[in-house]
Amino acid sequence: MSDKNRDRFGSLSTPQQAKRPSLLPKPNPDSFGRMTEGFARYMGTPQFLLWMTLFCAIWIGWNTLAPESMQFDPRSLNFTLLTLMLSLQASYAAPLLLLAQNRQDDRDRVVATEDRKRDQQNLEETEYLTREIASLRIALREVATRDFVRSELKDMLEEIMEMQQHEKNHDSATDDDEQDYQRKDREVKLVKDLDEDDETIEKK
């Protein structure tokens, strides 16, 4: 089977439904729907009610006050033609109003579906942001804060100052020991010199 015939008849695995020929023309649903909505919207305005009241008043007044030869819907027949026209108008207006209402319901359903999708998306984004914020808070607990760093630096500075003080004390103690050693060395030398002088005097 060629591609043209395959596009025409569809897939062989899909059962085809028999199409019955329609004698009535099929109007465009969108165009007809917009027309019915416009008609229904116009019928719900005070302007339509005013024109309809004026039309009925002229109709009844003409067929009541005009000569009988000029009346086309006489009062004696209870305005049969006007009653038929109003009934015909009502019989057409009701389905048109229902069709407009159905289109409005379809639009409301689509809008509600889109709103639910948008709300679901916003909820998912909010939950994602909440999880991210929670993870950041947990991570920040393990990060050194400014106060912690300051306290650690302060402790290190105190330790360094203590070490410097200890070294100064140690250096001063070492200097004292050296001075004592030098003083003792001088005393020993002095004693030796005195002993040598005594020996020299005895020899003389």
Side-chain angles (χ1 to χ4, degrees), residues 15-33:
Q16 300 291 328
Q17 295 180 356
K19 295 182 180 180
R20 296 179 181 178
S22 178
L23 299 177
L24 297 176
K26 293 182 178 180
N28 189 1
D30 292 334
S31 300
F32 189 72

Side-chain angles (χ1 to χ4, degrees), residues 129-143:
L129 292 176
T130 303
R131 290 194 297 269
E132 289 296 322
I133 292 173
S135 63
L136 288 175
R137 287 182 176 177
I138 294 172
L140 285 175
R141 291 178 182 175
E142 301 177 356
V143 177

Side-chain angles (χ1 to χ4, degrees), residues 65-182:
L65 302 176
E68 293 183 358
S69 59
M70 298 180 64
Q71 294 179 4
F72 53 89
D73 188 16
R75 181 181 179 185
S76 59
L77 298 178
N78 295 322
F79 307 109
T80 305
L81 185 58
L82 179 61
T83 304
L84 180 62
M85 289 180 61
L86 294 177
S87 300
L88 186 64
Q89 179 190 0
S91 64
Y92 274 97
L96 292 176
L97 292 175
L98 289 175
L99 181 59
Q101 184 64 36
N102 291 334
R103 284 176 59 86
Q104 184 63 37
D105 292 340
D106 293 338
R107 280 198 298 269
D108 293 341
R109 192 179 300 109
V110 171
V111 171
T113 303
E114 294 296 328
D115 290 340
R116 282 196 298 270
K117 290 181 179 179
R118 193 177 298 107
D119 293 339
Q120 182 66 27
Q121 185 178 0
N122 292 334
L123 179 61
E124 292 176 356
E125 291 178 355
T126 304
E127 291 178 352
Y128 173 76
L129 292 176
T130 303
R131 290 194 297 269
E132 289 296 322
I133 292 173
S135 63
L136 288 175
R137 287 182 176 177
I138 294 172
L140 285 175
R141 291 178 182 175
E142 301 177 356
V143 177
T145 59
R146 182 176 60 184
D147 296 335
F148 177 76
V149 172
R150 285 182 176 179
S151 62
E152 290 295 323
L153 291 175
K154 186 177 180 181
D155 294 337
M156 292 176 64
L157 182 61
E158 291 178 355
E159 291 179 0
I160 292 171
M161 291 177 68
E162 289 178 357
M163 292 175 63
Q164 290 179 353
Q165 186 67 30
H166 180 69
E167 289 178 356
K168 287 181 179 179
N169 294 332
H170 180 70
D171 293 339
S172 62
T174 304
D175 293 339
D176 294 338
D177 293 338
E178 289 181 356
Q179 289 177 2
D180 292 337
Y181 177 77
Q182 291 177 359

Side-chain angles (χ1 to χ4, degrees), residues 11-80:
S11 177
L12 296 176
S13 61
T14 305
Q16 300 291 328
Q17 295 180 356
K19 295 182 180 180
R20 296 179 181 178
S22 178
L23 299 177
L24 297 176
K26 293 182 178 180
N28 189 1
D30 292 334
S31 300
F32 189 72
R34 286 194 296 269
M35 183 186 69
T36 55
E37 287 179 348
F39 179 72
R41 191 175 293 109
Y42 177 71
M43 287 185 65
T45 59
Q47 185 179 0
F48 174 79
L49 183 61
L50 180 62
W51 284 110
M52 193 68 186
T53 303
L54 184 61
F55 174 77
C56 292
I58 293 174
W59 184 291
I60 293 172
W62 179 267
N63 290 286
T64 300
L65 302 176
E68 293 183 358
S69 59
M70 298 180 64
Q71 294 179 4
F72 53 89
D73 188 16
R75 181 181 179 185
S76 59
L77 298 178
N78 295 322
F79 307 109
T80 305

